[in-house]
Amino acid sequence: MSYFATAVAWLFVALAMMVAGMGFPAADLTSPDTLVLVHVMCVGWLSLAMCGALFQFLPVLVAKPLFSERWALPALGLLCAGLASLLAGFLVLGGRLPAWLWLLPVGAVLLAVGLGLIVVDLGLTAWQRPTGPARFVLVGLASLCATIALGAVFTFALAGWGGSTGETILAGGVPLHAIAGLGGWLTLTAMGVSYRLLSMFMLSPDVDDRTSGTTLMVGSLAVTVTVVGGLLAVWLSSGLNAVLSIAAVLGVAAAALYGRDVLGIFRGRQRRRLELNTRMATLSFASLAGTAFLCAALFLTADFPAHVGALVFLAVFGWLSGLILAKLYKIVAFLTWLETYGPVMGRTPTPRVQDLVAEGKASKWFVIYYTAVWAGTLMLLMGQPQAFRAAALAMAVGVVGIVREVIRTRRLAYVAIPLRLPGGARAPHLLFASK
């Protein structure tokens, strides 16, 4: 719960920046303000939310306990301190703070230590049973390591401590860093977790390991070609066009294979009436399909450099953020139910998980959010920054509504009073889960 709460706080920071016109599209993609926005989103929001979900559900994936529960809190502290230092360093580059460029490598080191604890903790947990969706998590963690390493090199180079090698990697390696993070760490991990969550919440058979293995192989190959081939191309000064083109084809293929797997889960479900989190997740899958289609179209029309911002926006907010928000709505309800009513289950009447939420009230906020994301993508493609800010404001309204519903779930606001707190049950804390 602490990871989720912190992640949502960073999400609001990112939305406020977009509404205020800080970063892309008001500024260049490589500007310091855009770097602040990108890292608030990808580290503060997406990565923290993903880590919180993995701490809860990776043990479910492997049917083994988490390697160490004690590492989660210090890792969270290191990540927040490291991100704050990194963001301050970017503001230094933009002339908004004194010339303390040492903040950049300090932030990178703190982030590397915090994420290192998480990688070891989750990696050793997944390695106890490296099958099925857990394989996606392992590849995602490997991609995270590559992302951290490249990012650390960049910060040392920006601070003037990277030498000629660091300068060379910084000059051409930014796309590799972005693809390893968004495509490898966040997307492949989200795919793996979603396999289990969709099957569990829809009462569907698990996807066959050979089928999902093909998806993972193609996705892993896309990330490997990007990082290994890209670094080699940077070192040889041969350009990244060929490498990125191959990676794009593989990425689109992986998205298509994942869509096939998800469609199989939906077809095999026993629960015919879909819950809100699953219905909204389908809009995330539609956004992923849109991202793949847009990527292919931009490459075929040679417009990729001009519209890469719109592509990344749709992937970050439509696919990844949309999926996390949809599943967070269900995960918080499930955790709250387990924490509050698990100890008294079988001894007294208790509500169902669905009794903790009001899907009718929440659905309109999700619709507002997704509609605003798609409108924002269109505005970026059309080169309309002011209209994009209006779309960002609508996104913020949707997120506020979703978070309000999550808080009400955590507060048991929708549970009938006679069932709310039976004898032996404990009211849940808002920001952390007790045992």
Side-chain angles (χ1 to χ4, degrees):
M1 290 303 306
S2 300
Y3 273 76
F4 293 151
T6 307
V8 168
W10 283 113
L11 173 59
F12 281 124
V13 172
L15 290 170
M17 289 183 64
M18 290 191 294
V19 172
M22 294 181 63
F24 184 82
D28 188 75
L29 271 173
T30 59
S31 70
D33 283 355
T34 300
L35 292 176
V36 171
L37 176 60
V38 167
H39 287 81
V40 166
M41 275 302 305
C42 293
V43 180
W45 158 235
L46 293 175
S47 291
L48 286 184
M50 187 66 72
C51 289
L54 288 175
F55 280 133
Q56 177 63 32
F57 278 98
L58 184 57
V60 176
L61 295 181
V62 299
K64 300 286 184 180
L66 192 65
F67 177 77
S68 175
E69 294 188 2
R70 296 182 179 180
W71 293 1
L73 183 58
L76 178 60
L78 287 166
L79 290 179
C80 290
L83 180 56
S85 179
L86 186 69
L87 298 180
F90 291 143
L91 293 176
V92 169
L93 293 177
R96 297 177 182 270
L97 291 177
W100 299 334
L101 288 175
W102 52 267
L103 287 167
L104 288 167
V106 168
V109 170
L110 290 172
L111 285 171
V113 175
L115 289 171
L117 286 175
I118 292 172
V119 167
V120 173
D121 196 2
L122 296 175
L124 291 176
T125 303
W127 196 252
Q128 297 179 81
R129 192 181 175 189
T131 59
R135 297 174 299 173
F136 283 78
V137 176
L138 288 170
V139 175
L141 293 174
S143 301
L144 176 59
C145 291
T147 307
I148 296 168
L150 287 169
V153 171
F154 296 162
T155 60
F156 276 79
L158 288 170
W161 302 351
S164 59
T165 301
E167 295 291 342
T168 300
I169 296 175
L170 174 62
V174 173
L176 315 183
H177 175 66
I179 293 171
L182 287 175
W185 156 232
L186 291 168
T187 290
L188 289 180
T189 304
M191 287 178 175
V193 174
S194 68
Y195 280 128
R196 185 69 186 114
L197 289 179
L198 289 171
S199 296
M200 182 169 62
F201 293 148
M202 291 195 294
L203 304 180
S204 299
D206 290 331
V207 177
D208 183 77
D209 278 3
R210 291 174 297 180
T211 302
S212 63
T214 303
T215 304
L216 177 60
M217 180 183 66
V218 176
S220 302
L221 188 57
V223 178
T224 302
V225 166
T226 299
V227 176
V228 178
L231 286 175
L232 183 60
V234 169
W235 186 257
L236 297 176
S237 301
S238 59
L240 291 173
N241 288 342
V243 170
L244 295 182
S245 296
I246 295 171
V249 171
L250 292 170
V252 171
L257 291 170
Y258 174 66
R260 173 207 60 185
D261 298 341
V262 169
L263 186 59
I265 294 174
F266 273 83
R267 286 175 173 171
R269 73 184 190 274
Q270 298 298 313
R271 177 172 286 169
R272 308 316 298 175
R273 184 179 182 277
L274 298 180
E275 297 176 343
L276 178 63
N277 75 93
T278 305
R279 298 199 304 273
M280 295 302 102
T282 60
L283 302 183
S284 299
F285 301 141
S287 297
L288 176 60
T291 301
F293 176 80
L294 182 59
C295 180
L298 293 178
F299 263 106
L300 291 175
T301 58
D303 284 339
F304 192 86
H307 297 300
V308 64
L311 180 70
V312 172
F313 177 82
L314 182 58
V316 167
F317 287 98
W319 154 236
L320 290 167
S321 297
L323 183 66
I324 288 175
L325 287 170
K327 293 307 174 185
L328 192 64
Y329 180 77
K330 179 67 176 183
I331 289 171
V332 171
F334 179 74
L335 289 178
T336 302
W337 176 85
L338 194 64
E339 177 186 357
T340 306
Y341 303 109
V344 297
M345 184 63 59
R347 296 184 299 179
T348 186
T350 57
R352 303 169 303 155
V353 176
Q354 281 299 96
D355 295 331
L356 274 64
V357 298
E359 292 190 348
K361 294 183 178 180
S363 61
K364 62 178 179 291
W365 303 116
F366 280 102
V367 171
I368 291 172
Y369 173 79
Y370 281 105
T371 303
V373 169
W374 297 334
T377 304
L378 182 60
M379 293 304 103
L380 290 176
L381 291 172
M382 295 173 61
Q384 300 292 327
Q386 294 302 320
F388 171 79
R389 290 173 65 180
L393 179 60
M395 288 168 56
V397 171
V399 172
V400 168
I402 294 168
V403 171
R404 178 178 178 273
E405 290 301 309
V406 170
I407 291 174
R408 289 180 66 80
T409 296
R410 193 73 182 151
R411 293 299 192 195
L412 308 178
Y414 294 121
V415 181
I417 292 178
L419 296 176
R420 185 169 296 172
L421 284 175
R426 294 180 298 177
H429 296 280
L430 180 61
L431 299 180
F432 63 92
S434 59
K435 292 186 177 181

